[in-house]
Amino acid sequence: MRRTLAASGILVCAVAGQTAASELRDAALEYFQPLPSTLMAPSGNAITPEKIDLGKALFFDPRMSASGVFSCNSCHNLATGGDDNMPTSIGHGWQKGPRNSPTVLNAVFNVAQFWDGRAEDLKAQAKGPVQAGVEMANTPDNVVATLNSMPQYVDWFKGAFPEEADPVSFDNFAKAIEAYEVTLTTPSPFDAFLNGNEDALDETQKAGLQLFMDNGCVACHNGVNVGGHDYYPFGLIEKPGADILPEGDVGRYAVTETADDEYVFRAAPLRNIALTAPYFHSGVVWGLREAVQIMSISQLGTEMPEEEIDQIVAFLDSLTGEMPEVVYPVLPSETASTPRPTGEVIAE
Amino acid sequence: MRRTLAASGILVCAVAGQTAASELRDAALEYFQPLPSTLMAPSGNAITPEKIDLGKALFFDPRMSASGVFSCNSCHNLATGGDDNMPTSIGHGWQKGPRNSPTVLNAVFNVAQFWDGRAEDLKAQAKGPVQAGVEMANTPDNVVATLNSMPQYVDWFKGAFPEEADPVSFDNFAKAIEAYEVTLTTPSPFDAFLNGNEDALDETQKAGLQLFMDNGCVACHNGVNVGGHDYYPFGLIEKPGADILPEGDVGRYAVTETADDEYVFRAAPLRNIALTAPYFHSGVVWGLREAVQIMSISQLGTEMPEEEIDQIVAFLDSLTGEMPEVVYPVLPSETASTPRPTGEVIAE
């Protein structure tokens, strides 16, 4: 009789636990969506296997930079969470970039690209770093000349853009890279939880998720990318010091020239955030706990208790996903007509 | 009857062709060996799957450099023939290295490593660039501290060196990289020919192989790596100009301090030579035809006819092998105790 009662008790607890988890999941689904089970379809760029393969080659090809040193993968390294683990990237001529390199993983789900959203999509973004003097320091003409000099690349462009008379173009270079980047998504325990596997998060992570919603983090960090979907002032309640929020970088104001957009940035997408230190557009904060503390004060105006921060960090860990398996590409080899690399730094 | 005769004629030709090919193959086997069908066993470093996997992670990890910019793969890029396609590599602080980066592919078969053979094997070589101020600019202590800061790396070292009390060491870092590099071999059509498939080379390539032996190229470029097995003066018969053979780089003399070793270098291993322009230790010659012309004059004292050069280049193309399939590694993520990257250049 006693044993039966005890067993019933366990049963009741288990059911209660499940109910709580279900409620938490229902609440979470008000704010978040799991990764979709199929590839996204970016506008004006039909995704095909040929385009994905070409884009992968381009993504890993250091000859897309003037010096031959940097590929897309240099600053968005798929071996290390899709970024470069530096405050700001080192580029052409050992120059430092102005902002922390964001992860390429799941970037397709962001409302727009770059910290200030100045590129409307991944194909627009792909044209940026390759031309930036402090990054890859190349020109569209030189990229196209490089590609045209290698017959294998010309064949791959023909295969990826079969309807086009002149497939090797800078636009198509960017479209192929976008096609590859669309595949770079990382299903995580949090997706499993949202999809109905209530054991995918442990109790600490569930408590963290609850706090993430209750404390208001979710106001900016929501949607499929847990951020990345809209723009907000950094220092909504209390402006951080100039070490964290350098005064010279006014964020989205440079894009919109609207006074309200001073120090406004795209809310950071939080998938794989545990892998992508250092944090913020300034890249000066190395610890995730510290980053949560700073956010709590600057955006919510509260100093969260240590235990709550731990729980939120545990929840953020559940956003670390499974990396896509990447077979390293074998790239076409140069020919006599391939433009030669140059490390020369041209003053702008 | 006529048909029978004709058929017999074809048969005779075919047999004659086969005999010629067999003779060529027999002659070639006097000088060359095909790649072995199993992994080489470097001295003092038993090769295990765990060690290979660890070595692959280290090979691709840019955090092995002080700046976080360069991995082994930066200058020995497996996507582009195992080298970096530059005259000399760009390293820490945008400094230029002194000599052309040799391919890592099949490097295990070289008599010793570097252009001057100053490292006796791959594990000795692996310790060089990581410490060179113009390359990765790191220190053994900082490498070990970096590795110890990431529990996943510590586990991998334990798995790769299970007998050792203190497995995370700079020596074991180098041994693991050697273990990975041992796997980087590229079976080529020339191997198939040496192994008995006489159709693996076309007629031009066979003519080129014959010339390669008859004209004396084979005196230095022989063995399994078609070079890489011994040291010879660059400019044996006629010293090339200072543009190709810079006067300040005395080659192996710096290692042995023997007068006979001035301007002596390890004969370049020629596997995948079609993929690894630019050529020579100075890296100033971009065309393979031009490189063969220069070799012909400087080492053999003859100006080979254009047709012979074409045939030799065709033979060299048959040394381009099948690249190993490389699944790009997912690396451990940094922790609070990981030493931070620094791009600072310290004057030496």
Side-chain angles (χ1 to χ4, degrees):
Chain A
M1 185 67 185
R2 223 172 184 172
R3 181 173 284 179
T4 313
L5 269 178
S8 308
I10 288 163
L11 189 67
V12 170
C13 286
V15 170
Q18 271 172 29
T19 307
S22 288
E23 281 172 12
L24 179 64
R25 182 177 162 245
D26 290 345
L29 284 168
E30 298 284 317
Y31 297 110
F32 307 105
Q33 297 89 48
L35 288 180
S37 56
T38 55
L39 295 183
M40 293 292 281
S43 78
N45 190 15
I47 304 298
T48 63
E50 292 79 7
K51 216 182 272 183
I52 292 170
D53 286 350
L54 169 61
K56 183 171 85 167
L58 296 170
F59 185 87
F60 278 100
D61 197 330
R63 297 165 306 185
M64 300 302 106
S65 62
S67 65
V69 172
F70 302 108
S71 67
C72 303
N73 189 66
S74 298
C75 301
H76 303 287
N77 194 327
L78 299 180
T80 57
D83 75 341
D84 62 3
N85 312 301
M86 291 184 214
T88 64
S89 303
I90 290 177
H92 192 83
W94 214 245
Q95 297 173 86
K96 279 196 176 180
R99 292 186 188 141
N100 181 256
S101 168
T103 181
V104 67
L105 297 169
N106 310 295
V108 63
F109 302 110
N110 294 332
V111 60
Q113 303 302 322
F114 296 115
W115 281 94
D116 54 14
R118 68 183 182 276
E120 65 172 345
D121 56 23
L122 289 167
K123 60 183 164 295
Q125 191 280 337
K127 293 179 176 180
V130 73
Q131 297 182 76
V134 301
E135 300 186 44
M136 296 165 81
N138 213 339
T139 63
D141 282 353
N142 198 54
V143 167
V144 169
T146 301
L147 295 169
N148 269 321
S149 75
M150 296 183 256
Q152 177 70 80
Y153 261 127
V154 175
D155 283 352
W156 284 345
F157 271 88
K158 281 180 190 161
F161 301 94
E163 311 292 318
E164 300 190 21
D166 189 19
V168 185
S169 67
F170 194 56
D171 278 346
N172 286 346
F173 158 88
K175 281 183 177 176
I177 290 175
E178 175 173 71
Y180 179 56
E181 291 179 343
V182 161
T183 70
L184 302 176
T185 64
T186 62
S188 70
F190 185 52
D191 293 296
F193 177 80
L194 291 177
N195 286 329
N197 175 358
E198 289 166 359
D199 299 329
L201 303 192
D202 66 24
E203 291 311 310
T204 313
Q205 291 171 325
K206 285 175 186 165
L209 168 58
Q210 187 71 59
L211 283 168
F212 194 85
M213 296 188 289
D214 292 349
N215 290 1
C217 312
V218 79
C220 302
H221 298 282
N222 51 44
V224 67
N225 244 3
V226 196
H229 301 296
D230 209 342
Y231 306 92
Y232 303 95
F234 190 177
L236 188 63
I237 307 291
E238 193 176 321
K239 214 168 151 187
D243 50 334
I244 291 167
L245 183 64
E247 289 182 7
D249 185 349
V250 291
R252 193 157 167 77
Y253 176 77
V255 180
T256 64
E257 294 185 357
T258 304
D260 282 355
D261 281 342
E262 273 197 345
Y263 302 106
V264 163
F265 295 87
R266 195 190 57 191
L270 298 183
R271 287 184 178 270
N272 301 300
I273 194 74
L275 306 178
T276 58
Y279 300 111
F280 305 129
H281 66 285
S282 50
V284 292
V285 174
W286 284 91
L288 189 48
R289 290 190 90 262
E290 192 188 344
V292 173
Q293 274 167 327
I294 290 167
M295 281 280 102
S296 173
I297 293 165
S298 68
Q299 306 303 96
L300 304 171
T302 60
E303 207 158 325
M304 270 190 230
E306 296 290 312
E307 194 197 351
E308 294 194 4
I309 289 176
D310 288 339
Q311 290 168 331
I312 285 179
V313 168
F315 163 62
L316 294 176
D317 281 341
S318 82
L319 301 174
T320 300
E322 197 185 329
M323 296 295 134
E325 184 173 281
V326 175
V327 175
Y328 199 59
V330 174
L331 298 174
S333 70
E334 294 99 330
T335 65
S337 62
T338 305
R340 301 306 171 204
T342 170
E344 200 187 340
V345 179
I346 297 158
E348 289 184 43
Chain B
M1 185 66 184
R2 222 170 183 177
R3 181 173 286 180
T4 313
L5 270 179
S8 307
I10 289 164
L11 190 66
V12 170
C13 287
V15 169
Q18 271 173 30
T19 307
S22 290
E23 281 171 12
L24 179 64
R25 181 175 163 246
D26 289 346
L29 284 169
E30 298 284 318
Y31 297 111
F32 307 105
Q33 297 90 47
L35 288 181
S37 55
T38 55
L39 295 183
M40 292 293 281
S43 78
N45 191 13
I47 304 299
T48 63
E50 291 80 6
K51 217 182 270 183
I52 292 170
D53 285 349
L54 169 61
K56 183 171 87 168
L58 297 169
F59 185 87
F60 278 100
D61 197 331
R63 296 163 308 185
M64 299 302 106
S65 62
S67 66
V69 172
F70 303 108
S71 67
C72 304
N73 189 67
S74 297
C75 301
H76 304 287
N77 194 329
L78 299 180
T80 56
D83 75 341
D84 63 1
N85 312 302
M86 291 185 215
T88 65
S89 303
I90 289 177
H92 192 82
W94 214 244
Q95 296 172 88
K96 279 195 176 183
R99 292 185 187 141
N100 181 257
S101 168
T103 181
V104 67
L105 298 169
N106 310 294
V108 63
F109 303 110
N110 293 332
V111 60
Q113 303 302 323
F114 296 115
W115 281 95
D116 53 16
R118 69 183 181 275
E120 66 173 345
D121 56 23
L122 289 168
K123 60 182 164 294
Q125 190 280 336
K127 292 179 176 181
V130 73
Q131 297 182 77
V134 301
E135 300 185 43
M136 296 165 80
N138 214 339
T139 63
D141 283 352
N142 198 55
V143 167
V144 170
T146 301
L147 295 169
N148 269 321
S149 75
M150 296 183 257
Q152 177 71 76
Y153 262 126
V154 175
D155 283 352
W156 285 345
F157 272 88
K158 283 181 188 160
F161 301 94
E163 311 292 317
E164 301 190 21
D166 190 18
V168 185
S169 67
F170 195 54
D171 278 346
N172 286 345
F173 158 89
K175 282 183 176 174
I177 290 175
E178 176 174 69
Y180 179 55
E181 291 178 343
V182 161
T183 70
L184 302 176
T185 64
T186 61
S188 70
F190 185 53
D191 293 295
F193 178 80
L194 292 176
N195 285 329
N197 175 359
E198 290 166 0
D199 298 329
L201 302 192
D202 67 24
E203 292 311 310
T204 313
Q205 292 172 325
K206 285 176 186 165
L209 168 57
Q210 188 71 58
L211 284 168
F212 194 86
M213 296 189 289
D214 292 348
N215 289 2
C217 313
V218 79
C220 302
H221 298 281
N222 51 46
V224 68
N225 244 2
V226 196
H229 301 296
D230 209 341
Y231 305 92
Y232 303 94
F234 190 0
L236 188 65
I237 307 292
E238 193 177 321
K239 213 168 151 188
D243 50 334
I244 291 168
L245 183 65
E247 289 181 6
D249 185 351
V250 291
R252 194 157 167 77
Y253 177 77
V255 180
T256 64
E257 293 184 358
T258 304
D260 283 355
D261 280 342
E262 273 198 346
Y263 302 106
V264 162
F265 295 87
R266 194 189 59 192
L270 298 183
R271 287 185 180 270
N272 301 301
I273 194 73
L275 306 179
T276 59
Y279 301 111
F280 305 129
H281 66 286
S282 51
V284 292
V285 174
W286 284 92
L288 189 49
R289 291 190 89 262
E290 191 187 345
V292 173
Q293 273 168 329
I294 290 166
M295 282 280 102
S296 174
I297 293 165
S298 68
Q299 306 304 97
L300 304 171
T302 61
E303 207 158 326
M304 269 189 229
E306 296 290 313
E307 193 197 351
E308 293 195 4
I309 289 176
D310 288 338
Q311 289 168 332
I312 285 179
V313 167
F315 163 62
L316 294 176
D317 281 340
S318 82
L319 301 174
T320 300
E322 198 183 329
M323 297 295 134
E325 183 173 282
V326 175
V327 175
Y328 199 60
V330 174
L331 298 174
S333 71
E334 295 100 329
T335 66
S337 63
T338 305
R340 301 306 170 205
T342 170
E344 199 187 343
V345 180
I346 297 157
E348 291 185 39

